[in-house]
């Protein structure tokens, strides 16, 4: 059974963890799963198992992190929460530097790419907030909804607040 990640509850669904017979470079074991996104480290690391992420040993061994702490620091999130997100939680692949969202003085849960139905239900305000651009128009949103595909460019990532349950989105593109 995979470890549980509070802030990334479905890492197999999001593609951050996949089945693999690779040997973890941290614990030297083959556990059947491997992390697929980046570890930010001065060392070149190819294979890390989810257990070494969950217990913090991979971040410690490689003096690395799995996501950027700046967005959470900027939002005033407590250092112990930032540590869990950046050093004990699988990150995710994005077009640019990933941005981990927060709400209610806590990091949000990452739920991967927004679904087509998520995007179809977006209001203009939600869409503008995701892109951090209040100049986007209803016409642009309508066109975007027609062509959006999960995993595409631009990407829209879905986040859920573990405190209040609100759903938030963040857009990323090349």
């Amino acid at each position: 059974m995979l470890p549980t990640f509070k802030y990334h509850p479905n890492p197999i669904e999001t593609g951050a963890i996949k089945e693999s017979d690779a040997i973890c470079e941290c614990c030297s074991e083959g556990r059947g799963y491997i992390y697929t996104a980046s570890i930010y480290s001065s060392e070149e690391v190819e294979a890390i198992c989810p257990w070494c992420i969950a217990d913090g040993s991979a971040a410690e061994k490689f003096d690395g992190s799995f996501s950027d702490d700046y967005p959470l620091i900027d939002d005033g999130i407590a250092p112990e929460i930032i540590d869990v997100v950046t050093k004990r939680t699988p990150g995710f692949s994005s077009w640019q530097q990933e941005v981990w969202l927060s709400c209610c003085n806590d990091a949000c849960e990452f739920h991967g790419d927004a679904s087509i139905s998520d995007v179809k239900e977006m209001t203009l305000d939600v869409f503008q907030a995701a892109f951090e651009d209040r100049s986007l128009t209803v016409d642009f949103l309508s066109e975007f909804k027609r062509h959006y595909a999960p995993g595409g460019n631009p990407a829209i990532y879905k986040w859920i607040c573990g405190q209040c349950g609100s759903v938030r989105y963040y857009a990323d593109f090349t």
Side-chain angles (χ1 to χ4, degrees), residues 9 22 24 44 70 77 79 89 95 102 109 119 135 141 145 154 172:
C24 176
E44 186 69 29
Y70 178 74
I77 301 303
T89 301
W95 293 106
S102 64
E109 298 171 358
V119 171
S135 69
L141 172 59
K145 287 179 178 184
D172 184 36

Side-chain angles (χ1 to χ4, degrees), residues 74-165:
D74 196 43
D75 287 346
I77 301 303
E80 57 273 9
I81 294 171
I82 295 171
D83 185 66
V84 170
V85 170
T86 61
K87 304 211 180 277
R88 297 174 181 267
T89 301
F92 60 96
S93 297
S94 61
W95 293 106
Q96 303 293 324
Q97 184 71 34
E98 76 286 330
V99 173
W100 205 285
L101 297 186
S102 64
C103 184
C104 298
N105 296 313
D106 196 3
C108 290
E109 298 171 358
F110 178 68
H111 286 266
D113 288 302
S115 68
I116 291 172
S117 62
D118 289 331
V119 171
K120 284 186 178 186
E121 293 173 8
M122 280 186 179
T123 64
L124 182 59
D125 285 344
V126 169
F127 187 72
Q128 289 172 333
F131 278 88
E132 298 179 329
D133 185 347
R134 293 289 171 197
S135 69
L136 297 175
T137 65
V138 171
D139 290 339
F140 184 84
L141 172 59
S142 295
E143 187 68 18
F144 184 84
K145 287 179 178 184
R146 276 197 292 280
H147 299 286
Y148 174 74
N153 181 23
I156 297 185
Y157 304 117
K158 182 176 183 175
W159 304 85
I160 299 176
C161 176
Q163 306 298 314
C164 72

Side-chain angles (χ1 to χ4, degrees), residues 11-71:
I12 291 178
E13 279 182 31
T14 67
I17 293 174
K18 69 175 184 176
E19 289 187 35
S20 172
D21 59 1
I23 303 300
C24 176
E25 293 175 42
C26 185
C27 67
S28 300
E29 293 186 41
R31 296 186 171 192
Y33 292 91
I34 213 74
Y35 175 62
T36 63
S38 297
I39 180 171
Y40 300 100
S41 170
S42 61
E43 295 186 47
E44 186 69 29
V45 183
E46 297 294 324
I48 298 173
C49 74
W51 293 268
C52 288
I53 294 171
D55 69 13
S57 58
E60 183 177 340
K61 179 174 183 172
F62 300 110
D63 190 26
S65 66
F66 299 100
S67 59
D68 187 5
D69 60 359
Y70 178 74

